[in-house]
Amino acid sequence: MKKIKVAHVLDSVGGVEIYLRLVSENINPECIENIIVHKSNPNKKQYLDKHGNSIKEFNIDIQREINLIKDIKAVYQTVKILKKEKPDIIHAHSAKGGIIARVASLFYKVNVLHTPHAYSYLSTNSKIKRKLFLLLESLFSRVNSYLLATSNSEIERGINEVGYHPDKTILFNNSILPMNSNDGEFNDFKLPDEFICSVGRPSFQKNIEMMIEVIKRMKLKKPNIHLVLMGVGEYSPNKNAVNQLIEEYELQSNVTLVDWIEREKILQIIKQAKLYISTSRYEGLPYSIIESLSLSKACVVTQCDGNKDLVKEGHNGFLIKDFDEMEMSDRICQLLDDDVLRQKFEQNSFNLFNKEFNLENNIKDLENIYDMLKSN
């Protein structure tokens, strides 16, 4: 049987990079041949397939910001690669990857699967930028495009706001491999015996300022409350504002900020935490919460896209509406004080992970999607 060749087009950073590495390292290389079209970064590890073999990579001048000259250049570079490599399908990731790939597909006509990893128009509180980004998404959704969403929330938004026809939308949940429960403890720095944790760069999306406000409220009831926030290093535009809040509220002994560390160390910290929290304004389907489910953690999170696909109210955690800081503080305290309820949520988290977000079970679905939409 002829292999299906898939060209991934993206700027490989953050959750997008995690997604592609998980897919490339677990999909069947006897059926699927991946190639990767992205921005050169000498600090990134080589992409590998399931057998540890290197995957072909091609460099283009793709970047997050809109730059007409560089974007046209990236399209031209992508078209050249596509015509040479002749993939059967294009899988585009994030906003810029989606635009570059779909314009390129006008000159090399194959189906494009677009995975937004959270729509770009949600990333700004500027009404003008939001309308512009949504307009771009709507226009390009009509160009050889299928929405391959990471969550049901992303599908709903794609249909109701971007304008995809339901027949042009497909769900493939972000998924990970089961965690190794025998991993050791992380002792690179001193952590308290009990703490709660989160992963997220200080930014508009992650809304870390709300998280600090919640800790301020909790300290009135629990003076020793401690938050470990990971992933603070790379692309953190609001880091100074968060540090200022911590100083203003005198929370230096209640908050530990961890710069960028290896995923394995992040998982060890989540494993030791009492529970996981998130104050995000929007998500695609956040890997950090999926990892928390796999590690049997109860979660208290804001009710936004992505979060509400992973946390079921009163089942494996609590969903906080309207970014209510007092409600979030009370719910976290409730779970810290009620061991029976927290342990019930922990078991439900683990069961939900195995049912819906286990990559060992789900990767075959992606193989079938590629096979269904490949060009003949």
Side-chain angles (χ1 to χ4, degrees):
M1 185 179 68
K2 181 179 177 291
K3 289 184 183 181
I4 301 167
K5 185 182 256 191
V6 181
H8 297 270
V9 181
L10 69 157
D11 183 9
S12 53
V13 295
V16 181
E17 180 185 4
I18 293 172
Y19 178 103
L20 184 53
R21 289 193 185 278
L22 285 167
V23 166
S24 65
E25 291 171 6
N26 290 280
I27 206 162
N28 185 357
E30 310 306 321
C31 302
I32 308 295
E33 178 187 356
N34 291 306
I35 64 170
I36 298 169
V37 182
H38 65 150
K39 185 176 182 178
S40 173
N41 187 334
N43 297 320
K44 298 286 187 185
K45 295 188 299 183
Q46 172 76 44
Y47 282 89
L48 304 174
D49 70 11
K50 191 173 185 177
H51 300 321
N53 300 315
S54 296
I55 294 174
K56 268 190 187 180
E57 297 184 41
F58 301 88
N59 297 326
I60 61 172
D61 198 9
I62 187 173
Q63 59 179 23
R64 290 165 65 97
E65 296 78 17
I66 296 174
N67 183 310
L68 189 58
I69 294 174
K70 288 189 175 182
D71 292 345
I72 291 172
K73 181 180 177 183
V75 170
Y76 174 74
Q77 292 170 325
T78 302
V79 171
K80 284 183 66 177
I81 293 165
L82 296 176
K83 288 187 174 181
K84 178 184 175 184
E85 290 296 315
K86 296 181 171 52
D88 302 296
I89 195 167
I90 300 171
H91 189 167
H93 304 264
S94 71
K96 186 55 75 71
I99 290 173
I100 298 299
R102 286 177 286 189
V103 174
S105 75
L106 296 173
F107 304 93
Y108 180 82
K109 291 189 180 298
V110 294
N111 286 325
V112 180
L113 288 169
H114 181 217
T115 301
H117 302 279
Y119 274 111
S120 61
Y121 65 87
L122 300 172
S123 67
T124 177
N125 55 1
S126 165
K127 290 183 179 179
I128 294 174
K129 285 186 176 180
R130 188 181 177 102
K131 287 181 179 179
L132 173 61
F133 293 165
L134 177 55
L135 176 62
L136 288 172
E137 291 287 1
S138 297
L139 289 174
F140 283 100
S141 70
R142 292 159 174 77
V143 182
N144 301 335
S145 189
Y146 286 81
L147 171 61
L148 181 60
T150 58
S151 68
N152 279 309
S153 294
E154 202 161 67
I155 282 187
E156 291 172 8
R157 203 172 283 279
I159 294 171
N160 297 327
E161 296 181 4
V162 177
Y164 275 97
H165 190 279
D167 291 344
K168 291 274 192 173
T169 65
I170 306 165
L171 175 65
F172 177 68
N173 281 326
N174 277 356
S175 305
I176 64 170
L177 297 174
M179 298 291 102
N180 182 355
S181 60
N182 295 320
D183 286 342
E185 292 188 355
F186 176 47
N187 296 315
D188 284 25
F189 51 82
K190 178 69 174 174
L191 293 176
D193 292 335
E194 291 190 359
F195 61 90
I196 62 178
C197 75
S198 189
V199 179
R201 60 191 178 93
S203 61
F204 175 78
Q205 176 188 359
K206 300 299 182 180
N207 195 17
I208 302 302
E209 291 87 344
M210 176 184 170
M211 199 176 290
I212 302 304
E213 296 286 350
V214 168
I215 298 301
K216 174 192 174 186
R217 290 179 179 276
M218 291 189 66
K219 189 173 181 178
L220 299 175
K221 297 180 182 179
K222 294 182 174 292
N224 295 324
I225 186 65
H226 198 94
L227 166 70
V228 178
L229 176 65
M230 295 165 278
V232 177
E234 193 175 7
Y235 304 116
S236 299
N238 295 11
K239 185 175 180 179
N240 289 338
V242 168
N243 278 320
Q244 287 172 8
L245 273 183
I246 291 171
E247 290 182 13
E248 180 184 342
Y249 297 153
E250 299 182 351
L251 296 174
Q252 293 91 332
S253 63
N254 301 95
V255 179
T256 297
L257 301 181
V258 181
D259 287 340
W260 192 257
I261 56 175
E262 295 87 349
R263 180 170 177 261
E264 291 73 19
K265 292 181 178 180
I266 289 175
L267 297 177
Q268 290 167 17
I269 292 176
I270 294 175
K271 179 184 172 185
Q272 294 177 58
K274 298 294 285 186
L275 53 87
Y276 187 91
I277 68 172
S278 166
T279 50
S280 289
R281 290 185 168 96
Y282 68 93
E283 293 283 357
L285 197 71
Y287 280 108
S288 56
I289 297 183
I290 300 174
E291 289 161 350
S292 299
L293 302 187
S294 75
L295 292 168
S296 304
K297 295 299 168 184
C299 302
V300 181
V301 303
T302 46
Q303 188 176 7
C304 69
D305 286 5
N307 284 359
K308 65 185 181 182
D309 297 274
L310 295 168
V311 178
K312 311 301 180 186
E313 173 68 24
H315 179 72
N316 66 323
F318 294 118
L319 292 169
I320 307 303
K321 298 179 181 178
D322 303 320
F323 305 99
D324 189 326
E325 296 160 6
M326 184 175 293
E327 174 73 7
M328 189 166 203
S329 172
D330 290 345
R331 288 303 198 181
I332 294 172
C333 287
Q334 180 182 354
L335 284 179
L336 292 177
D337 292 338
D338 191 336
D339 291 344
V340 174
L341 180 61
R342 190 180 69 254
Q343 289 165 9
K344 174 186 173 185
F345 284 2
E346 289 170 351
Q347 185 60 54
N348 290 341
S349 285
F350 184 72
N351 294 342
L352 182 62
F353 164 74
N354 278 317
K355 181 181 178 183
E356 296 188 23
F357 309 107
N358 187 332
L359 188 60
E360 290 179 341
N361 304 329
N362 294 353
I363 193 63
K364 187 66 180 177
D365 294 339
L366 185 59
E367 294 172 10
N368 292 336
I369 291 167
Y370 287 156
D371 183 55
M372 177 178 66
L373 294 179
K374 69 179 184 294
S375 300
N376 296 317

